[in-house]
Amino acid sequence: MSFLKSIAVALGLMAAPMAPANKPPSPPPSDYVVHLAQTPDEKAVFATIETANVVPARVRAGGTVAELKVRQGDHVEQGQVIALVGDPKRAMQVHASAAQAQAAQAQLAQARADYDRAQRLKKADAISQSAFDQARTAYNVAVSNLQSMTAQRSVSEQQLKEGEVLAPTTGRVLTVPVTVGTVVMPGDPVATVAEQDFVLRLLVPERHARFLKAGDPVRVDGADVGLGNGPRFGTIKLVYPKISDGRVQADATLKGLTDYFVGERVRVWVSAGARAAIVIPSKYLFTRFGIDYVRLRLANGDVVDAPVQRGDARPTPKLPDGIEILSGLHSGDRLVLPKAPGEARK
């Protein structure tokens, strides 16, 4: 009987479906996948904060500076009055033109009355045709004379208004080379205004010039330009086609660039080629006893601490906390965030 039971149990086991083999658990999607990518080979150069254009605010009519409304460092809007240039002769010309216009109006009123009276007498055949023509001509001359005096008064008023020196553009006042009481001639500058668009003007050694082109990213330390801690990224706007003293000049734009100290020198990292490198976020690195480690997920799902050799920081717009890894990792490795300092490790 026991023999038959053994055969039945064996047949039951053969008929039962085979249990699937244990598969290693799939890694969670939060793991960081290491990959080898082309990384810019950055070089540090110096740049100065410059304005794209410096525009002088010039005098339109000569005279004496009567009032200065700005000083160095002030912000001005386009068309804002920044100085007043006075000339007593222009005020006298305005008064004279106004008096002449009033005399012309009186003459026109008299000519109009004479012409109206001549029209009534002409209808009654009380005056000759020549007397009527003379009254009409006098009226027309009076009208033209009033128009001439009015235009002359407008010219005098415009000349007086041209004593206002206007800001040619929106920006910051860099220099004010005159003081109140200075005699100026038409075309003399009373201030220089830096346009509001500021750029980083780079001076790049000529051996790196062939790697520069418009649209390339540049990197600066935010603290150097008053934009807080951490890296800030800009874009090369223009590369000047001339080498001077072994250096090439280029302009880069940076969002939020401060304009308080024009000419301030800052350090900028520019691309001088590209090479293959492994860059990971710095949060996946931790240090123990002076050695850098990462938590590496194995193929079976286990996590181990693997030593690596840390390189320089390689921040990019997509990876602002990037760190280059010189050895210890390969493309395709999966990294796990390290445990908190007080959390036990498995």
Side-chain angles (χ1 to χ4, degrees), residues 157-188:
E157 291 175 350
Q158 180 63 30
Q159 289 177 348
L160 184 63
K161 187 180 296 186
E162 286 181 353
E164 298 178 346
V165 182
L166 307 180
T169 185
T170 299
R172 190 176 295 275
V173 178
L174 294 184
T175 61
V176 181
V178 299
T179 59
V180 175
T182 303
V183 177
V184 291
M185 301 296 291
D188 289 347

Side-chain angles (χ1 to χ4, degrees), residues 105-285:
Q105 288 178 350
Q107 292 177 356
L108 176 61
Q110 181 63 41
R112 178 67 182 178
D114 293 343
Y115 180 51
D116 291 341
R117 184 168 54 253
Q119 284 182 322
R120 292 193 299 270
L121 295 174
K122 178 64 176 174
K123 291 180 180 179
D125 292 333
I127 61 172
S128 63
Q129 181 66 35
S130 61
F132 175 77
D133 293 341
Q134 185 177 0
R136 183 175 57 186
T137 302
Y139 171 72
N140 292 335
V141 170
V143 171
S144 300
N145 190 33
L146 178 60
Q147 293 175 349
S148 176
M149 292 299 102
T150 303
Q152 186 175 352
R153 183 178 61 180
S154 299
V155 170
S156 300
E157 291 175 350
Q158 180 63 30
Q159 289 177 348
L160 184 63
K161 187 180 296 186
E162 286 181 353
E164 298 178 346
V165 182
L166 307 180
T169 185
T170 299
R172 190 176 295 275
V173 178
L174 294 184
T175 61
V176 181
V178 299
T179 59
V180 175
T182 303
V183 177
V184 291
M185 301 296 291
D188 289 347
V190 299
T192 54
V193 181
E195 281 188 342
Q196 199 168 11
D197 295 332
F198 285 79
V199 297
L200 288 171
R201 187 149 293 166
L202 293 76
L203 294 176
V204 183
E206 59 180 321
R207 64 180 179 274
H208 302 316
R210 61 190 180 92
F211 298 106
L212 286 180
K213 62 181 182 299
D216 286 349
V218 298
R219 175 171 61 91
V220 300
D221 188 355
D224 292 342
V225 291
L227 297 178
N229 296 326
R232 295 293 184 271
F233 299 93
T235 305
I236 292 181
K237 178 182 178 181
L238 175 65
V239 179
Y240 292 87
K242 181 181 179 181
I243 296 178
S244 179
D245 296 331
R247 293 179 296 182
V248 175
Q249 183 173 296
D251 289 346
T253 58
L254 181 65
K255 186 177 180 180
L257 182 63
T258 177
D259 59 357
Y260 193 78
F261 292 111
V262 176
E264 181 181 0
R265 287 165 58 88
V266 295
R267 185 171 55 174
V268 180
W269 283 266
V270 299
S271 175
R275 56 185 176 83
I278 290 177
V279 179
I280 67 171
S282 60
K283 62 183 179 181
Y284 287 92
L285 278 172

Side-chain angles (χ1 to χ4, degrees), residues 23 64 68 78 124 130 138 247 301 309 327 330 332:
K23 295 183 180 179
T64 304
L68 283 174
Q78 186 176 12
S130 61
R247 293 179 296 182
Q309 184 177 359
S327 63
H330 300 85

